[in-house]
Amino acid sequence: MRISRLTPWAAALAAAALFAVPAAASAGQQRTTTPENPTAAAVDPYADYYASAQGKTGAALKTALHTIIKNQSKVTYDGVWNALKVTDQDPANPNNVILVYSGRSQSKATNGGGVNDWNREHVWAKSHGDFGTATGPGTDLHHLRPEDVTVNSTRGNKDFDNGGSPVSEAPGSLTDADSFEPRDAVKGDVARMLLYMAVRYDGGDGFADLEMNDKVNNGSAPLFGRISLLKQWNQMDPPDAFEQRRNQVIFDTYQHNRNPFIDHPEWVNSIW
């Protein structure tokens, strides 16, 4: 379920508006005007947060972003349940969450392991790098989303690619033996979650160095594909209000770090 499709400039303003002054101010600057220039263009509300990354490209940008976003609070795996009830709340029904691949609005109270329950989907499959549910990559809210138990099982640890057969209970999603294609409305979300993980976890804190490649069937290697397709998804499905709000809630309430590719989707092509 998508709320709207916004340009990166408009999306940043929408996110700031959703959380008013405290949320946006904690991440950066606000619009500034002067008597000489009363209609000054809006500045990046997260400019202060990303100050050390400004002007960089390629490997230098990736390193700068890693240094910024590695400073975070940690959530336990049990704590993820309650966090997802907040980060993925249905804006039309505060008693429900939105399931990422299914797009279904479902009661927050139905989390668990039953057939029609929702559980914690690791968009970067936890076997890709063998980090399991360890506090760190295994509990990082920037890639954990609610999903129907059966759909989660169907997705398994497959890489992302186009094509396959329709997925029951996930309209618009497709799967085959070695890949999964999410519905169009969250293709960009999936791309930006994976790319966040590849920047955040570089092997320096006791976990595997997570990286992107252009393959499927990566198995237990700390790799995910396909990067060429994920770059396309990032462009075709830009961040919307739901994704922007989610990023802000994680920053303000839980981990106190951001997914830079939601704030600056243009940085995807700058790095990869």
Side-chain angles (χ1 to χ4, degrees):
M1 171 180 178
R2 302 301 274 183
I3 309 305
S4 64
R5 292 180 181 272
L6 304 175
T7 64
W9 176 84
L13 293 184
L18 281 170
F19 288 87
V21 173
S26 65
Q29 305 177 43
Q30 300 300 302
R31 176 187 293 271
T32 57
T33 60
T34 65
E36 297 78 18
N37 188 16
T39 58
V43 296
D44 178 0
Y46 314 115
D48 287 349
Y49 183 73
Y50 294 118
S52 62
Q54 300 298 334
K56 294 181 170 65
T57 60
L61 175 58
K62 185 181 179 186
T63 298
L65 292 177
H66 168 75
T67 300
I68 294 167
I69 67 177
K70 73 177 182 179
N71 297 310
Q72 68 179 99
S73 299
K74 304 289 177 60
V75 180
T76 67
Y77 198 50
D78 283 342
V80 168
W81 286 121
N82 287 331
L84 292 181
K85 293 176 183 179
V86 179
T87 61
D88 291 75
Q89 178 174 295
D90 182 349
N93 185 345
N95 296 313
N96 287 11
V97 292
I98 300 295
L99 308 188
V100 59
Y101 306 134
S102 303
R104 188 169 75 233
S105 178
Q106 183 160 323
S107 170
K108 293 177 178 179
T110 60
N111 62 294
V115 172
N116 289 313
D117 289 342
W118 64 267
N119 60 4
R120 297 159 290 189
E121 156 69 346
H122 292 75
V123 177
W124 185 293
K126 54 186 180 288
S127 63
H128 289 229
D130 196 29
F131 52 75
T133 59
T135 300
T139 65
D140 197 310
L141 294 171
H142 283 297
H143 85 114
L144 286 162
R145 300 289 290 265
E147 186 47 71
D148 175 88
V149 167
T150 303
V151 176
N152 195 343
S153 178
T154 298
R155 187 268 158 134
N157 71 344
K158 296 172 183 174
D159 293 90
F160 291 94
D161 201 355
N162 285 331
S165 302
V167 177
S168 177
E169 297 192 70
S173 297
L174 303 171
T175 193
D176 57 23
D178 58 17
S179 69
F180 189 90
E181 178 183 353
R183 60 193 176 100
D184 288 348
V186 294
K187 280 182 164 69
D189 304 51
V190 166
R192 289 180 283 273
M193 286 186 277
L194 293 174
L195 299 176
Y196 161 88
M197 292 292 282
V199 170
R200 168 60 187 88
Y201 298 98
D202 70 348
D205 51 357
F207 297 106
D209 181 4
L210 306 184
E211 293 291 349
M212 307 305 303
N213 66 9
D214 209 31
K215 301 177 181 178
V216 294
N217 276 327
N218 279 301
S220 62
L223 303 169
F224 237 103
R226 299 174 44 230
I227 181 58
S228 61
L229 187 62
L230 296 171
K231 289 171 64 178
Q232 294 175 28
W233 290 357
N234 174 60
Q235 292 184 307
M236 68 173 279
D237 174 36
D240 66 7
F242 186 92
E243 193 180 358
Q244 291 263 347
R245 175 192 175 276
R246 190 175 196 280
N247 195 27
Q248 192 68 46
V249 170
I250 293 171
F251 177 79
D252 287 335
T253 306
Y254 296 104
Q255 296 184 181
H256 311 299
N257 72 339
R258 307 184 67 81
N259 182 333
F261 304 113
I262 296 174
D263 297 327
H264 287 278
E266 73 278 7
W267 281 345
V268 172
N269 285 340
S270 295
I271 295 175
W272 287 278

